[in-house]
PDB file of all heavy atoms in Angstrom:
ATOM      1  N   ASN B 257    -230.150  66.811  51.095  1.00 97.00           N
ATOM      2  CA  ASN B 257    -231.005  67.473  50.138  1.00 97.00           C
ATOM      3  C   ASN B 257    -232.017  66.465  49.596  1.00 97.00           C
ATOM      4  O   ASN B 257    -231.631  65.512  48.916  1.00 97.00           O
ATOM      5  CB  ASN B 257    -230.102  67.991  49.009  1.00 97.00           C
ATOM      6  CG  ASN B 257    -230.753  69.116  48.266  1.00 97.00           C
ATOM      7  OD1 ASN B 257    -231.920  68.999  47.915  1.00 97.00           O
ATOM      8  ND2 ASN B 257    -230.016  70.197  48.049  1.00 97.00           N
ATOM      9  N   ILE B 258    -233.277  66.664  49.905  1.00 98.00           N
ATOM     10  CA  ILE B 258    -234.317  65.700  49.544  1.00 98.00           C
ATOM     11  C   ILE B 258    -235.177  66.312  48.450  1.00 98.00           C
ATOM     12  O   ILE B 258    -235.729  67.394  48.637  1.00 98.00           O
ATOM     13  CB  ILE B 258    -235.199  65.390  50.774  1.00 98.00           C
ATOM     14  CG1 ILE B 258    -234.351  65.097  52.025  1.00 98.00           C
ATOM     15  CG2 ILE B 258    -236.190  64.281  50.478  1.00 98.00           C
ATOM     16  CD1 ILE B 258    -233.530  63.866  51.968  1.00 98.00           C
ATOM     17  N   GLY B 259    -235.311  65.620  47.314  1.00 98.00           N
ATOM     18  CA  GLY B 259    -236.051  66.165  46.176  1.00 98.00           C
ATOM     19  C   GLY B 259    -237.561  66.197  46.397  1.00 98.00           C
ATOM     20  O   GLY B 259    -238.068  65.761  47.419  1.00 98.00           O
ATOM     21  N   ASN B 260    -238.275  66.687  45.394  1.00 98.00           N
ATOM     22  CA  ASN B 260    -239.732  66.762  45.482  1.00 98.00           C
ATOM     23  C   ASN B 260    -240.362  65.373  45.492  1.00 98.00           C
ATOM     24  O   ASN B 260    -239.863  64.447  44.876  1.00 98.00           O
ATOM     25  CB  ASN B 260    -240.302  67.543  44.289  1.00 98.00           C
ATOM     26  CG  ASN B 260    -239.851  68.995  44.284  1.00 98.00           C
ATOM     27  OD1 ASN B 260    -239.616  69.580  45.338  1.00 98.00           O
ATOM     28  ND2 ASN B 260    -239.716  69.567  43.090  1.00 98.00           N
ATOM     29  N   ARG B 261    -241.477  65.277  46.175  1.00 98.00           N
ATOM     30  CA  ARG B 261    -242.298  64.059  46.191  1.00 98.00           C
ATOM     31  C   ARG B 261    -241.549  62.803  46.626  1.00 98.00           C
ATOM     32  O   ARG B 261    -241.883  61.687  46.214  1.00 98.00           O
ATOM     33  CB  ARG B 261    -242.951  63.837  44.827  1.00 98.00           C
ATOM     34  CG  ARG B 261    -243.978  64.897  44.438  1.00 98.00           C
ATOM     35  CD  ARG B 261    -244.491  64.710  43.039  1.00 98.00           C
ATOM     36  NE  ARG B 261    -243.410  64.677  42.071  1.00 98.00           N
ATOM     37  CZ  ARG B 261    -242.776  65.756  41.614  1.00 98.00           C
ATOM     38  NH1 ARG B 261    -243.143  66.973  42.004  1.00 98.00           N
ATOM     39  NH2 ARG B 261    -241.786  65.628  40.766  1.00 98.00           N
ATOM     40  N   VAL B 262    -240.547  62.964  47.443  1.00 98.00           N
ATOM     41  CA  VAL B 262    -239.851  61.804  48.004  1.00 98.00           C
ATOM     42  C   VAL B 262    -240.669  61.243  49.162  1.00 98.00           C
ATOM     43  O   VAL B 262    -241.297  61.993  49.905  1.00 98.00           O
ATOM     44  CB  VAL B 262    -238.435  62.212  48.482  1.00 98.00           C
ATOM     45  CG1 VAL B 262    -237.820  61.157  49.395  1.00 98.00           C
ATOM     46  CG2 VAL B 262    -237.544  62.473  47.274  1.00 98.00           C
ATOM     47  N   ILE B 263    -240.688  59.915  49.281  1.00 98.00           N
ATOM     48  CA  ILE B 263    -241.329  59.268  50.426  1.00 98.00           C
ATOM     49  C   ILE B 263    -240.261  58.598  51.291  1.00 98.00           C
ATOM     50  O   ILE B 263    -239.509  57.762  50.812  1.00 98.00           O
ATOM     51  CB  ILE B 263    -242.358  58.214  49.972  1.00 98.00           C
ATOM     52  CG1 ILE B 263    -243.491  58.912  49.206  1.00 98.00           C
ATOM     53  CG2 ILE B 263    -242.906  57.429  51.153  1.00 98.00           C
ATOM     54  CD1 ILE B 263    -244.483  57.953  48.569  1.00 98.00           C
ATOM     55  N   LEU B 264    -240.192  59.006  52.547  1.00 98.00           N
ATOM     56  CA  LEU B 264    -239.333  58.318  53.520  1.00 98.00           C
ATOM     57  C   LEU B 264    -240.273  57.570  54.463  1.00 98.00           C
ATOM     58  O   LEU B 264    -240.987  58.188  55.246  1.00 98.00           O
ATOM     59  CB  LEU B 264    -238.482  59.306  54.323  1.00 98.00           C
ATOM     60  CG  LEU B 264    -237.500  60.204  53.560  1.00 98.00           C
ATOM     61  CD1 LEU B 264    -236.698  61.063  54.553  1.00 98.00           C
ATOM     62  CD2 LEU B 264    -236.534  59.373  52.730  1.00 98.00           C
ATOM     63  N   ALA B 265    -240.261  56.239  54.383  1.00 98.00           N
ATOM     64  CA  ALA B 265    -241.160  55.470  55.246  1.00 98.00           C
ATOM     65  C   ALA B 265    -240.645  55.459  56.677  1.00 98.00           C
ATOM     66  O   ALA B 265    -239.549  55.934  56.970  1.00 98.00           O
ATOM     67  CB  ALA B 265    -241.324  54.059  54.693  1.00 98.00           C
ATOM     68  N   ALA B 266    -241.445  54.887  57.570  1.00 97.00           N
ATOM     69  CA  ALA B 266    -241.177  54.994  59.013  1.00 97.00           C
ATOM     70  C   ALA B 266    -239.788  54.496  59.383  1.00 97.00           C
ATOM     71  O   ALA B 266    -239.326  53.460  58.915  1.00 97.00           O
ATOM     72  CB  ALA B 266    -242.229  54.199  59.779  1.00 97.00           C
ATOM     73  N   GLY B 267    -239.135  55.237  60.220  1.00 97.00           N
ATOM     74  CA  GLY B 267    -237.858  54.809  60.779  1.00 97.00           C
ATOM     75  C   GLY B 267    -236.710  54.843  59.806  1.00 97.00           C
ATOM     76  O   GLY B 267    -235.621  54.332  60.105  1.00 97.00           O
ATOM     77  N   SER B 268    -236.888  55.440  58.654  1.00 97.00           N
ATOM     78  CA  SER B 268    -235.769  55.500  57.708  1.00 97.00           C
ATOM     79  C   SER B 268    -234.825  56.623  58.111  1.00 97.00           C
ATOM     80  O   SER B 268    -235.180  57.531  58.857  1.00 97.00           O
ATOM     81  CB  SER B 268    -236.279  55.699  56.287  1.00 97.00           C
ATOM     82  OG  SER B 268    -237.100  56.825  56.207  1.00 97.00           O
ATOM     83  N   ALA B 269    -233.589  56.530  57.624  1.00 98.00           N
ATOM     84  CA  ALA B 269    -232.588  57.512  58.022  1.00 98.00           C
ATOM     85  C   ALA B 269    -231.707  57.858  56.834  1.00 98.00           C
ATOM     86  O   ALA B 269    -231.375  57.003  56.018  1.00 98.00           O
ATOM     87  CB  ALA B 269    -231.735  56.963  59.154  1.00 98.00           C
ATOM     88  N   VAL B 270    -231.341  59.112  56.748  1.00 98.00           N
ATOM     89  CA  VAL B 270    -230.462  59.603  55.690  1.00 98.00           C
ATOM     90  C   VAL B 270    -229.279  60.264  56.399  1.00 98.00           C
ATOM     91  O   VAL B 270    -229.492  61.111  57.269  1.00 98.00           O
ATOM     92  CB  VAL B 270    -231.207  60.644  54.824  1.00 98.00           C
ATOM     93  CG1 VAL B 270    -230.307  61.195  53.735  1.00 98.00           C
ATOM     94  CG2 VAL B 270    -232.475  60.038  54.234  1.00 98.00           C
ATOM     95  N   ILE B 271    -228.053  59.864  56.062  1.00 97.00           N
ATOM     96  CA  ILE B 271    -226.917  60.466  56.772  1.00 97.00           C
ATOM     97  C   ILE B 271    -226.647  61.869  56.218  1.00 97.00           C
ATOM     98  O   ILE B 271    -227.351  62.355  55.339  1.00 97.00           O
ATOM     99  CB  ILE B 271    -225.654  59.589  56.737  1.00 97.00           C
ATOM    100  CG1 ILE B 271    -225.082  59.505  55.318  1.00 97.00           C
ATOM    101  CG2 ILE B 271    -225.922  58.196  57.288  1.00 97.00           C
ATOM    102  CD1 ILE B 271    -223.626  59.069  55.329  1.00 97.00           C
ATOM    103  N   ASP B 272    -225.618  62.506  56.744  1.00 96.00           N
ATOM    104  CA  ASP B 272    -225.279  63.880  56.365  1.00 96.00           C
ATOM    105  C   ASP B 272    -224.900  63.992  54.889  1.00 96.00           C
ATOM    106  O   ASP B 272    -224.333  63.060  54.314  1.00 96.00           O
ATOM    107  CB  ASP B 272    -224.042  64.345  57.139  1.00 96.00           C
ATOM    108  CG  ASP B 272    -224.309  64.410  58.632  1.00 96.00           C
ATOM    109  OD1 ASP B 272    -225.403  64.017  59.064  1.00 96.00           O
ATOM    110  OD2 ASP B 272    -223.406  64.859  59.351  1.00 96.00           O
ATOM    111  N   ASN B 273    -225.171  65.153  54.306  1.00 96.00           N
ATOM    112  CA  ASN B 273    -224.611  65.513  53.002  1.00 96.00           C
ATOM    113  C   ASN B 273    -224.999  64.592  51.860  1.00 96.00           C
ATOM    114  O   ASN B 273    -224.233  64.373  50.930  1.00 96.00           O
ATOM    115  CB  ASN B 273    -223.071  65.565  53.103  1.00 96.00           C
ATOM    116  CG  ASN B 273    -222.626  66.681  54.019  1.00 96.00           C
ATOM    117  OD1 ASN B 273    -222.907  67.847  53.761  1.00 96.00           O
ATOM    118  ND2 ASN B 273    -221.979  66.325  55.110  1.00 96.00           N
ATOM    119  N   ILE B 274    -226.203  64.041  51.936  1.00 97.00           N
ATOM    120  CA  ILE B 274    -226.704  63.137  50.894  1.00 97.00           C
ATOM    121  C   ILE B 274    -227.697  63.895  50.014  1.00 97.00           C
ATOM    122  O   ILE B 274    -228.425  64.762  50.488  1.00 97.00           O
ATOM    123  CB  ILE B 274    -227.417  61.947  51.561  1.00 97.00           C
ATOM    124  CG1 ILE B 274    -226.417  61.080  52.299  1.00 97.00           C
ATOM    125  CG2 ILE B 274    -228.218  61.119  50.551  1.00 97.00           C
ATOM    126  CD1 ILE B 274    -225.416  60.405  51.419  1.00 97.00           C
TER     127      ILE B 274
END
Side-chain angles (χ1 to χ4, degrees):
Chain B
N257 202 313
I258 313 294
N260 296 330
R261 294 174 305 281
V262 165
I263 296 173
L264 300 183
S268 55
V270 179
I271 68 160
D272 296 5
N273 294 299
I274 292 295

